[in-house]
Amino acid sequence: MQLVENTNWLSMARLILSASRQTAFHVHYNQLPILLHCRHGWDRASQVAALSQLLLDPHYRMREGFSTLVEKDFLSFGHPFHTRCGHGEGKNEQGGDKGQLSPIFIQFLDCIFQLVNQFPDYFEFNARYLLLLSEHIYSCRFGTLLCDSEREREVVAGIRQRTYCMWEYLDSIPDLINPMFDRATSEKAGVLLMPLPMLLRNVTLWVDRFCMYGAKASIPCMPHGLQYPPQYFLGNHSIVHTVGYGAESALRRALEDAEMWRGTALNALKEVEDLRKKVSDKEKESKEDPAADLLSS
């Protein structure tokens, strides 16, 4: 974990989350207008503005609202996806300044992951939704996140007429919906303003994204006769381990594990009782026939 911290990636995520939370706090409680500006005007400004709206308005924590938020604060605002991501350009074929390449949108998704990871019941989408979205930033399979401006997308390239929409694709996958999300409860709760130290303290590495192609965990050593994988793994080979599927499924898995280890403990206890019985029977036989002990000695 120290190596991860040394990259300062998590430190930058904490700074962005802190700025977003403070922006949302002043807008909601102090009812103050906030001016956001960064060096270019469409990187940090887009990140903080979008994240603060995500905290303030439950509509943006749903799939429809989230797509609107990205379209509004990144696409329409002029975030240069082509320049920042280097779409369609080889390693030695950069059309512009190499220093302009930067994973701004990936960083934005990472900050949202931190919120989803800590407060999953407030979001209609789950962590797998963000993971799939992060993959298609660089896949160029959809035209939604291509080009540097609205003019390039609509007039020059004609993206809308020539490519598929990424939001329609994501909305067509039911597994990306959070089953524990309650729209009425979320709208009633309104703003999501947690204590800032709690938010920053629980920032963690987005393992499913940044360790996607790393070595996977090997099968653990299990006592003989136990089933692996456990029953709750069967039939679902696409589990994202970072965020659970709600308290109900977590409780079910915990009960299944407890029952499995209870059976193991009972079997071990039975073996101990059988061993004690054998020793006790042997002692009784030696007491009943002392000559046998003399002969054996």
Side-chain angles (χ1 to χ4, degrees), residues 156-185:
V156 179
I159 292 295
R160 195 182 302 275
Q161 292 76 29
R162 298 169 56 193
T163 63
Y164 292 100
C165 177
M166 181 175 60
W167 309 118
E168 294 179 358
Y169 169 72
L170 294 176
D171 290 343
S172 67
I173 305 176
D175 290 342
L176 305 182
I177 301 176
N178 178 12
M180 300 302 295
F181 175 75
D182 188 345
R183 180 170 183 172
T185 303

Side-chain angles (χ1 to χ4, degrees), residues 31-52:
Q31 298 182 359
L32 295 174
I34 304 297
L35 174 64
L36 298 173
H37 198 285
C38 62
R39 180 180 178 182
H40 293 90
W42 47 52
D43 292 332
R44 304 290 175 228
S46 294
Q47 289 176 333
V48 175
L51 284 169
S52 59

Side-chain angles (χ1 to χ4, degrees), residues 79-87 100-103 105 137-138 145:
H79 178 73
F81 281 95
H82 175 79
T83 300
R84 292 291 182 257
C85 301
H87 289 148
Q100 295 296 319
L101 295 176
S102 181
F105 196 71
I137 295 173
Y138 296 97
L145 303 180

Side-chain angles (χ1 to χ4, degrees), residues 25-282:
F25 176 85
H26 289 299
V27 170
H28 180 69
Y29 287 106
N30 298 328
Q31 298 182 359
L32 295 174
I34 304 297
L35 174 64
L36 298 173
H37 198 285
C38 62
R39 180 180 178 182
H40 293 90
W42 47 52
D43 292 332
R44 304 290 175 228
S46 294
Q47 289 176 333
V48 175
L51 284 169
S52 59
Q53 292 174 79
L54 199 76
L55 296 174
L56 289 168
D57 194 340
H59 172 68
Y60 294 128
R61 298 196 289 268
M62 295 186 290
R63 293 185 298 169
E64 179 183 358
F66 180 72
S67 62
T68 302
L69 185 67
V70 173
E71 292 277 351
K72 176 172 66 73
D73 284 289
F74 279 90
L75 297 173
S76 297
F77 197 65
H79 178 73
F81 281 95
H82 175 79
T83 300
R84 292 291 182 257
C85 301
H87 289 148
E89 296 178 353
K91 184 177 181 181
N92 299 318
E93 300 174 359
Q94 302 295 339
D97 184 7
K98 293 182 180 180
Q100 295 296 319
L101 295 176
S102 181
I104 297 296
F105 196 71
I106 287 286
Q107 196 172 51
F108 168 69
L109 294 181
D110 193 350
C111 292
I112 298 179
F113 164 77
Q114 305 300 333
L115 297 173
V116 173
N117 190 44
Q118 297 183 40
F119 310 97
D121 294 343
Y122 283 82
F123 293 85
E124 184 187 20
F125 49 86
N126 54 26
R128 193 179 173 195
Y129 179 95
L130 300 173
L131 179 63
L132 198 58
L133 177 56
S134 70
E135 292 178 7
H136 290 304
I137 295 173
Y138 296 97
S139 72
C140 299
R141 179 181 174 185
F142 303 96
T144 307
L145 303 180
L146 296 181
C147 302
D148 284 343
S149 65
E150 286 283 281
R151 179 181 179 277
E152 288 186 10
R153 277 186 291 272
E154 300 295 339
V155 179
V156 179
I159 292 295
R160 195 182 302 275
Q161 292 76 29
R162 298 169 56 193
T163 63
Y164 292 100
C165 177
M166 181 175 60
W167 309 118
E168 294 179 358
Y169 169 72
L170 294 176
D171 290 343
S172 67
I173 305 176
D175 290 342
L176 305 182
I177 301 176
N178 178 12
M180 300 302 295
F181 175 75
D182 188 345
R183 180 170 183 172
T185 303
S186 177
E187 292 179 349
K188 183 178 179 180
V191 297
L192 174 59
L193 286 177
M194 70 298 292
L196 184 59
M198 180 183 70
L199 173 63
L200 302 184
R201 190 180 299 117
N202 291 296
V203 169
T204 184
L205 180 66
W206 189 3
V207 176
D208 293 318
R209 179 66 180 85
F210 299 112
C211 301
M212 184 187 305
Y213 304 107
K216 301 300 185 292
S218 58
I219 297 177
C221 297
M222 302 289 286
H224 180 71
L226 294 184
Q227 178 186 10
Y228 190 88
Q231 189 63 34
Y232 55 81
F233 275 64
L234 301 180
N236 187 1
H237 302 289
S238 57
I239 295 177
V240 178
H241 297 280
T242 305
V243 178
Y245 287 91
E248 184 178 351
S249 60
L251 178 60
R252 184 180 66 252
R253 295 196 297 268
L255 291 175
E256 290 178 358
D257 285 344
E259 186 64 26
M260 178 182 66
W261 291 112
R262 177 176 175 273
T264 303
L266 290 176
N267 291 335
L269 184 61
K270 184 178 178 181
E271 292 179 1
V272 172
E273 291 296 333
D274 292 341
L275 182 60
R276 287 178 177 175
K277 186 177 180 181
K278 291 180 180 179
V279 173
S280 178
D281 292 342
K282 189 174 181 180

